[in-house]
Amino acid sequence: MVSDASGSQPTSVEGLRERLPARSEVQEGLDMERNASEKVKALNAEAAGEDKDSGEQRTYGRTPDGTVFTVPHTEDMVSQLFDPTQPKNASDVAIVTVLLYLCGLLYFLPTRLRIPTFAVIFLFWRLCYNGGIGWLLHVQSNHKRLTLWAKRSDIFEKPDSGRNPYPFVYKLLKQEMRTKIPNDYDFETAPLEYNTWLLFRRVVDLILMCDFTSYCLFAIACGGRPVDEKLPMTIARWVCGIALVLFNLWVKLDAHRVVKDFAWYWGDFFYLIDQDLTFDGVFELAPHPMYSVGYAGYYGISLMAASYKVLFISIVAHAAQLIFLAVVESPHIEKTYNAPPPPAKRADISGISTPPQYQSKLLSSLSPNSPPTTSPSSTPSPVHNLVGLQNVDFFRITDVSVALLQFYMYGIAFLTPATFAWQSLFVVNAVAWRLWYSIGIGFILDRQSNKKRWTRHFVKYGESTEEAWRQWKGIYHLSMITCYTSFVCATWKMYHLPADWTYGMTTLRHVIGVAAIALQIWTVTSIYESLGEFGWFFGDFFYPDSTVSRLTYDGIYRFLNNPERTIGLAGVWGAAILTWSKAIFFLALMSHILTLCFIQFVERPHMQKLYRQSLRKTSGVSKSLKRSLPPPLQKWTGSVDRVLDETLDFVEEYIDAARPKLAAGFSSFVRDSMTLFKQYPARVTITRLAPDLAGFNPKDYSLEIDMSTPGLQLEAASASGREGEDGQVPQQRTDSFQRSTVEYGAPIRVKWTAPLNHSKKDWIGLYMVADNATREATKVSSQGRWIATNRNSFDIATADAGILMTDVLVAASHRQDGESQDFLSGIMEFSGDKLWWTSNVFEFRYHHANKHNVMAISLPFEIKISRFDEDSFDFSTSNIQSAIETEILPVVQNCFDRSPDLAPRSPSDLFGPTLEREGKYAKRVVYAIQRMFGVEFAPEVVAADGSVRNLAWRICEARRVLAPYSMSRSKGGGTPEEK
């Protein structure tokens, strides 16, 4: 029982095994956010209908706390700085002054100092852009730190209130904002998040303008005409450069037309606008157009400057922008706009359901969250994928074969001389593997599409459809990897390191070649992310009626119907440009032709037969290009398309009639999928200043674990049977102390006491006992497992998560230690990511003033996973599944952070899509199962089973299979568990 600071009646905490909380503060916050979102969306839809004919449209937004407000209209960066009709303020004058200073610096600097000086200046502003702005946005996205800074500094509070220590800053900001936004804006009543965003965008204006200006000045400093360059080449250079700059300008303007200032200045990091946007124009041309094709102007300027220095610094800038996208923007977009809906809960079903009838008990499983079926599997197993380094498993014959073949081929390629004979051998080897990979694999797929020949072969020998699918995946994966390995080896043999990098276009060839290879790697990764394992291996050829067989027009397929036709083979052409070899050019041309034939004669007929009218005829890029053409050209392109379609249809009919039908196959290419797992644990800097401890006595601090919390208990030590004779005698104690144990994943409540003058930046962390060698100071990072003693004391949003009571005054009369001073106390709860998800002995440490000086340490406790008592059950009986369900349900609920929206309430509840997005939940569950039952599962198995009931059935089946190796004493000795 606990009571809050207001003196309300104690509140009892229900046990986890009885029920989960019906509603929580988090759930109420989600409901409030959902209601505000619906209200904003309705207001924006209404405003769009009313203001369709007017020049301006009123827009509504909402803050994280649910406040709905009118979002005023703001001008773009260039207009507000350089448009004379727009009002100007002091920040505009400051920005323009800095830009003029940079221009003057270029004029007055000596010629020999211009290039290095402006290279350093540009890199500084680029670091401010991608590093500085990126860090600010990162902490705002994860911890709301910018809005917390604004709130705690009180810079937006009225000076009359007496809380604003900077009245001059308040007046300056008010004048700045009101000058810029004369309509629909009141500085005093606008939400704090919106005012913070306005202040942030002024910083962005300065950095972005200085970044681009310094880049242009660097290009001017490096610009010139190469010696002996012919006039036609000069004209071509400038024409292409100007065209790229104009294209870049159109991309930026069209992107701003769609996303407006709100997204241009990362407004959704501060507040949200719920409305239906049409992402047309440039957003149908390329993914993230402002960061991808939006940098074409940099390469256009490099062309006009005719300088490799400008080209390389452009590549550095573009790479930094893509890293900014991957590290900062993409995680925020995924978290804000692509969060999975909470799983639908259904009533618990009494009794034990029929166990799921898998085709292969332990090696296959259902598709995620699908019900069990007794018919032959209509969906392939989603567990134990093949593609990607993270899925390599040397217990699998396919992976062993791939590794051995690569070792063999790369070893011979690197150790043999680059003579004509060896070069010819590797080129012929690459040709042979390409022919097999294209024609051979294509023939198999064609026969599978028309006659189910591959599947029929395995059914004839009593195998299942899923066995045919697994064997097909293995042969396709092996063929693909070996095909590209042979191509890389041939390229290596034909490549020679340049003796003179300045000769001709040697450097440019290498830049273009490496860029083309990088483009193919990105394309392949994007294809796999869109199609998944099922589509990657042409799953609809084997499971045409599966629910997984569906058309995909998201990801890269939003822009291209068949990426393999064009940029999907950019890497082989990049290798040809790198080597400048006729043999590699021949290989690249052959690969491209075979790929086009495969798409035309294998993929396209199957897709038309399976999906019919659902096929999209025009890609996003094609629509964008056609819209940009004049009407006469649009009609002409339409006529050309019809002629091409009729010609291809004729060729297909001719080949069908001629027999045998040609088959060519080529799907995709190198597949080292780059998976970005990002984790941003809160960190506390380890700094210790002994003078800060003056006046503080550690005896005035204390930490106590609340043992009344469900999942915590006291127990005596028990013998394991492995001790000597004396060690098995029950321990004799001289006190009443008992060991504290905590169930795996159970929340832990901690009570703390501190003197009245304790620092508001005190904090409590959770550590393994063995991680610290001293009791006076902590010398290891908390890795996010800490909670502040006082709210709003840290600029990290998660610091306050878990505070239940804080700074409750306790009179000296209630003290039991004989002291005569009043003290403060509080209660906090460690749960979820603030716990350790492993078995060990831990302790809590009370730290002083945002440092690592320890003032108090709790008694140690053990996080424990109880072993399932299998001696009481027979795994061959039917009641065992019910017992396992009862045993693992509370553990699974703990692993899901006991969230009402995520944790299952009954064995039949489905886990939902959050499990696939947040892989930590599945890893927690399989660890607990291994400790409880001695069975090791892959995390993917949890997502595939989809419920506690299916998981319990799988545990039963695994235990039956492993019965000869049981560790149970009653069943005899066996094979030790693998650690």
Side-chain angles (χ1 to χ4, degrees):
M1 297 220 180
V2 296
S3 61
D4 57 22
S6 61
S8 59
Q9 294 297 321
T11 304
S12 64
V13 182
E14 294 287 346
L16 176 62
R17 294 180 184 271
E18 284 73 26
R19 65 179 179 88
L20 290 173
R23 294 184 64 82
S24 63
E25 295 181 4
V26 175
Q27 179 64 31
E28 293 176 358
L30 291 175
D31 291 343
M32 183 175 61
E33 182 179 354
R34 193 177 299 113
N35 294 335
S37 175
E38 294 174 356
K39 181 178 180 180
V40 169
K41 187 173 291 186
L43 288 172
N44 283 326
E46 181 181 352
E50 294 175 354
D51 302 333
K52 187 174 293 184
D53 300 328
S54 61
E56 294 292 338
Q57 177 178 321
R58 186 181 295 270
T59 304
Y60 296 90
R62 60 181 173 89
T63 61
D65 63 2
T67 302
V68 178
F69 68 100
T70 302
V71 181
H73 172 74
T74 54
E75 297 295 336
D76 62 88
M77 181 192 311
V78 178
S79 298
Q80 66 182 4
L81 285 176
F82 302 111
D83 188 349
T85 63
Q86 295 294 328
K88 300 293 183 288
N89 54 21
S91 59
D92 294 333
V93 175
I95 294 173
V96 174
T97 301
V98 174
L99 300 182
L100 292 175
Y101 169 77
L102 292 175
C103 296
L105 186 63
L106 176 69
Y107 180 79
F108 289 107
L109 269 178
T111 305
R112 62 185 178 84
L113 295 179
R114 290 177 180 176
I115 294 177
T117 300
F118 275 93
V120 172
I121 291 175
F122 170 68
L123 292 176
F124 167 76
W125 286 112
R126 176 56 53 164
L127 180 63
C128 290
Y129 181 4
N130 298 130
I133 294 178
W135 181 77
L136 290 175
L137 291 175
H138 170 70
V139 298
Q140 173 64 17
S141 174
N142 291 280
H143 309 299
K144 304 299 179 187
R145 188 168 293 179
L146 296 184
T147 50
L148 282 173
W149 282 343
K151 182 177 181 180
R152 291 174 184 171
S153 63
D154 295 323
I155 57 174
F156 296 119
E157 292 287 341
K158 294 182 180 180
D160 299 341
S161 65
R163 295 197 301 269
N164 192 333
Y166 314 104
F168 172 76
V169 175
Y170 177 87
K171 294 178 182 179
L172 178 63
L173 292 177
K174 182 177 180 180
Q175 180 63 29
E176 288 278 316
M177 306 307 181
R178 293 184 63 179
T179 302
K180 284 296 179 184
I181 313 176
N183 301 321
D184 296 331
Y185 176 70
D186 184 1
F187 178 79
E188 298 176 350
T189 60
L192 178 139
E193 290 83 0
Y194 185 75
N195 283 337
T196 306
W197 175 69
L198 290 179
L199 181 59
F200 168 76
R201 63 175 284 173
R202 297 310 292 165
V203 177
V204 173
D205 286 341
L206 172 64
I207 293 176
L208 264 61
M209 290 303 300
C210 291
D211 173 78
F212 182 70
T213 302
S214 59
Y215 172 81
C216 293
L217 295 175
F218 175 75
I220 293 173
C222 296
R225 182 180 178 183
V227 181
D228 298 331
E229 184 183 62
K230 303 297 183 182
L231 181 61
M233 178 60 72
T234 303
I235 295 175
R237 224 174 10 89
W238 278 87
V239 169
C240 292
I242 293 173
L244 288 174
V245 171
L246 292 177
F247 173 74
N248 195 149
L249 181 63
W250 172 76
V251 169
K252 298 292 186 181
L253 293 176
D254 198 56
H256 189 272
R257 171 187 64 82
V258 175
V259 303
K260 306 295 189 302
D261 274 5
F262 169 68
W264 190 274
Y265 286 99
W266 302 283
D268 53 5
F269 283 74
F270 299 84
Y271 63 96
L272 290 175
I273 296 177
D274 299 288
Q275 59 183 353
D276 296 325
L277 295 178
T278 302
F279 287 93
D280 56 0
V282 70
F283 284 93
E284 292 181 326
L285 188 63
H288 304 287
M290 290 185 290
Y291 296 160
S292 53
V293 295
Y295 269 71
Y298 273 46
Y299 302 104
I301 293 174
S302 301
L303 270 177
M304 291 186 286
S307 169
Y308 282 117
K309 297 183 182 70
V310 181
L311 175 61
F312 289 137
I313 210 167
S314 300
I315 294 173
V316 170
H318 199 176
Q321 194 66 29
L322 294 177
I323 294 174
F324 172 85
L325 170 67
V327 175
V328 179
E329 281 207 33
S330 293
H332 178 78
I333 292 171
E334 190 73 15
K335 177 175 63 177
T336 305
Y337 299 105
N338 298 327
K345 301 291 181 184
R346 56 192 177 96
D348 189 12
I349 301 174
S350 60
I352 302 175
S353 64
T354 303
Q357 301 297 320
Y358 301 126
Q359 288 297 307
S360 181
K361 299 290 186 185
L362 292 178
L363 297 179
S364 64
S365 62
L366 297 173
S367 59
N369 297 344
S370 63
T373 176
T374 57
S375 61
S377 178
S378 61
T379 302
S381 167
V383 183
H384 218 186
N385 292 339
L386 268 175
V387 180
L389 294 176
Q390 74 278 8
N391 291 317
V392 172
D393 184 354
F394 289 113
F395 287 85
R396 192 164 45 189
I397 184 61
T398 302
D399 293 334
V400 174
S401 302
V402 167
L404 290 176
L405 274 173
Q406 288 191 86
F407 178 78
Y408 159 75
M409 297 178 72
Y410 284 131
I412 295 179
F414 294 153
L415 297 178
T416 55
T419 60
F420 177 77
W422 282 108
Q423 289 175 339
S424 301
L425 177 63
F426 276 97
V427 170
V428 171
N429 181 59
V431 170
W433 276 107
R434 170 58 65 178
L435 291 174
W436 161 250
Y437 177 55
S438 299
I439 298 177
I441 295 296
F443 177 77
I444 294 174
L445 282 177
D446 177 73
R447 293 297 86 200
Q448 174 67 16
S449 175
N450 291 283
K451 303 293 184 181
K452 298 294 180 185
R453 185 171 177 177
W454 184 270
T455 303
R456 288 177 184 273
H457 172 81
F458 287 90
V459 172
K460 180 174 68 173
Y461 291 98
E463 300 285 356
S464 65
T465 303
E466 190 162 352
E467 177 63 19
W469 166 249
R470 281 197 296 270
Q471 295 296 333
W472 155 253
K473 286 172 59 179
I475 193 172
Y476 179 81
H477 186 68
L478 178 66
S479 302
M480 175 194 65
I481 296 296
T482 310
C483 174
Y484 276 96
T485 300
S486 64
F487 181 84
V488 171
C489 291
T491 302
W492 172 261
K493 280 299 178 187
M494 303 304 297
Y495 176 77
H496 299 284
L497 196 66
D500 183 4
W501 287 87
T502 62
Y503 175 76
M505 293 188 177
T506 302
T507 304
L508 183 61
R509 281 197 297 107
H510 281 74
V511 171
I512 294 175
V514 172
I517 294 172
L519 177 61
Q520 176 165 336
I521 293 174
W522 172 82
T523 303
V524 168
T525 304
S526 300
I527 290 173
Y528 182 75
E529 289 176 352
S530 297
L531 298 181
E533 193 93 357
F534 182 83
W536 181 263
F537 288 104
F538 304 93
D540 52 10
F541 281 74
F542 298 84
Y543 296 90
D545 300 325
S546 170
T547 56
V548 188
S549 298
R550 58 179 178 83
L551 284 173
T552 299
Y553 286 125
D554 56 4
I556 194 172
Y557 289 93
R558 169 181 167 85
F559 315 99
L560 298 169
N561 286 347
N562 280 301
E564 301 94 335
R565 286 181 182 268
T566 51
I567 59 177
L569 282 177
V572 297
W573 290 107
I577 294 172
L578 273 174
T579 59
W580 211 247
S581 165
K582 293 180 181 179
I584 304 303
F585 268 104
F586 167 74
L587 278 174
L589 180 62
M590 183 185 71
S591 301
H592 213 141
I593 292 174
L594 290 175
T595 299
L596 295 177
C597 291
F598 173 82
I599 293 172
Q600 188 64 34
F601 300 120
V602 179
E603 270 196 32
R604 185 182 177 191
H606 179 78
M607 299 283 284
Q608 289 175 337
K609 178 176 63 177
L610 187 60
Y611 300 107
R612 302 181 186 276
Q613 299 301 319
S614 299
L615 287 174
R616 186 178 66 179
K617 296 183 178 180
T618 307
S619 66
V621 173
S622 299
K623 287 192 292 185
S624 299
L625 294 178
K626 287 181 179 180
R627 275 200 299 264
S628 63
L629 295 175
L633 285 179
Q634 292 183 14
K635 293 181 180 179
W636 181 79
T637 55
S639 301
V640 172
D641 289 341
R642 284 194 298 273
V643 171
L644 290 176
D645 290 339
E646 292 173 0
T647 303
L648 291 173
D649 291 340
F650 170 77
V651 171
E652 288 181 9
E653 292 174 0
Y654 176 80
I655 293 175
D656 285 339
R659 290 285 184 195
K661 185 178 180 181
L662 297 177
F666 168 53
S667 166
S668 297
F669 346 90
V670 181
R671 241 145 230 76
D672 292 334
S673 42
M674 302 167 61
T675 305
L676 300 172
F677 295 106
K678 302 171 193 63
Q679 183 180 6
Y680 304 101
R683 298 185 302 169
V684 178
T685 304
I686 302 178
T687 55
R688 298 185 300 278
L689 297 177
D692 290 348
L693 299 178
F696 295 95
N697 187 354
K699 294 182 179 180
D700 295 334
Y701 296 81
S702 70
L703 281 176
E704 180 185 357
I705 300 174
D706 185 0
M707 297 305 298
S708 65
T709 308
L712 280 70
Q713 61 184 356
L714 299 172
E715 62 180 32
S718 58
S720 65
R722 297 185 294 271
E723 298 83 0
E725 182 177 351
D726 293 339
Q728 298 186 29
V729 176
Q731 288 181 333
Q732 300 295 324
R733 302 197 62 92
T734 60
D735 58 13
S736 59
F737 174 79
Q738 287 183 297
R739 292 193 310 165
S740 302
T741 61
V742 179
E743 288 185 5
Y744 180 70
I748 307 173
R749 290 192 176 181
V750 181
K751 300 177 182 179
W752 59 267
T753 62
L756 299 179
N757 63 337
H758 82 95
S759 172
K760 301 304 178 183
K761 284 186 173 290
D762 289 353
W763 58 280
I764 298 173
L766 174 61
Y767 300 90
M768 286 187 181
V769 171
D771 280 349
N772 291 283
T774 174
R775 313 293 281 176
E776 289 76 23
T778 300
K779 298 185 178 182
V780 63
S781 170
S782 63
Q783 295 182 307
R785 302 180 184 93
W786 66 281
I787 299 176
T789 57
N790 295 77
R791 292 186 176 91
N792 303 321
S793 298
F794 292 86
D795 296 331
I796 299 176
T798 57
D800 297 348
I803 298 178
L804 302 180
M805 295 171 50
T806 181
D807 277 0
V808 178
L809 180 63
V810 180
S813 58
H814 292 83
R815 299 191 67 154
Q816 299 177 0
D817 55 2
E819 296 292 335
S820 59
Q821 296 179 348
D822 297 343
F823 64 94
L824 298 175
S825 69
I827 300 176
M828 57 181 62
E829 182 177 87
F830 285 75
S831 61
D833 291 337
K834 297 194 180 225
L835 292 174
W836 284 85
W837 292 92
T838 186
S839 297
N840 214 310
V841 180
F842 302 90
E843 64 186 6
F844 290 101
R845 291 184 163 219
Y846 188 113
H847 300 87
H848 171 69
N850 197 20
K851 303 297 190 301
H852 279 64
N853 297 306
V854 178
M855 309 304 290
I857 300 178
S858 71
L859 291 175
F861 62 93
E862 179 184 4
I863 292 181
K864 185 177 180 181
I865 304 177
S866 300
R867 185 81 175 184
F868 181 71
D869 185 13
E870 61 182 41
D871 292 338
S872 302
F873 297 93
D874 184 357
F875 278 90
S876 62
T877 61
S878 59
N879 64 340
I880 184 64
Q881 181 176 343
S882 177
I884 293 178
E885 290 175 6
T886 303
E887 192 73 17
I888 68 173
L889 178 60
V891 176
V892 172
Q893 290 172 340
N894 282 345
C895 292
F896 279 73
D897 294 341
R898 296 161 49 101
S899 168
D901 288 331
L902 301 178
R905 295 179 180 274
S906 67
S908 58
D909 278 353
L910 302 181
F911 293 153
T914 304
L915 183 65
E916 298 177 21
R917 289 169 51 91
E918 300 286 346
K920 61 184 180 183
Y921 297 131
K923 292 178 181 177
R924 295 172 183 176
V925 173
V926 296
Y927 176 79
I929 291 174
Q930 182 181 13
R931 304 290 292 187
M932 293 174 68
F933 301 96
V935 178
E936 182 179 5
F937 291 142
E940 292 83 0
V941 170
V942 180
D945 283 343
S947 69
V948 171
R949 181 150 295 163
N950 287 347
L951 198 57
W953 176 88
R954 185 180 290 277
I955 294 171
C956 289
E957 292 301 301
R959 293 299 299 161
R960 289 191 186 104
V961 172
L962 299 176
Y965 310 106
S966 172
M967 297 300 294
S968 171
R969 296 177 182 175
S970 63
K971 295 179 175 61
T975 304
E977 294 179 9
E978 180 182 1
K979 297 297 183 183

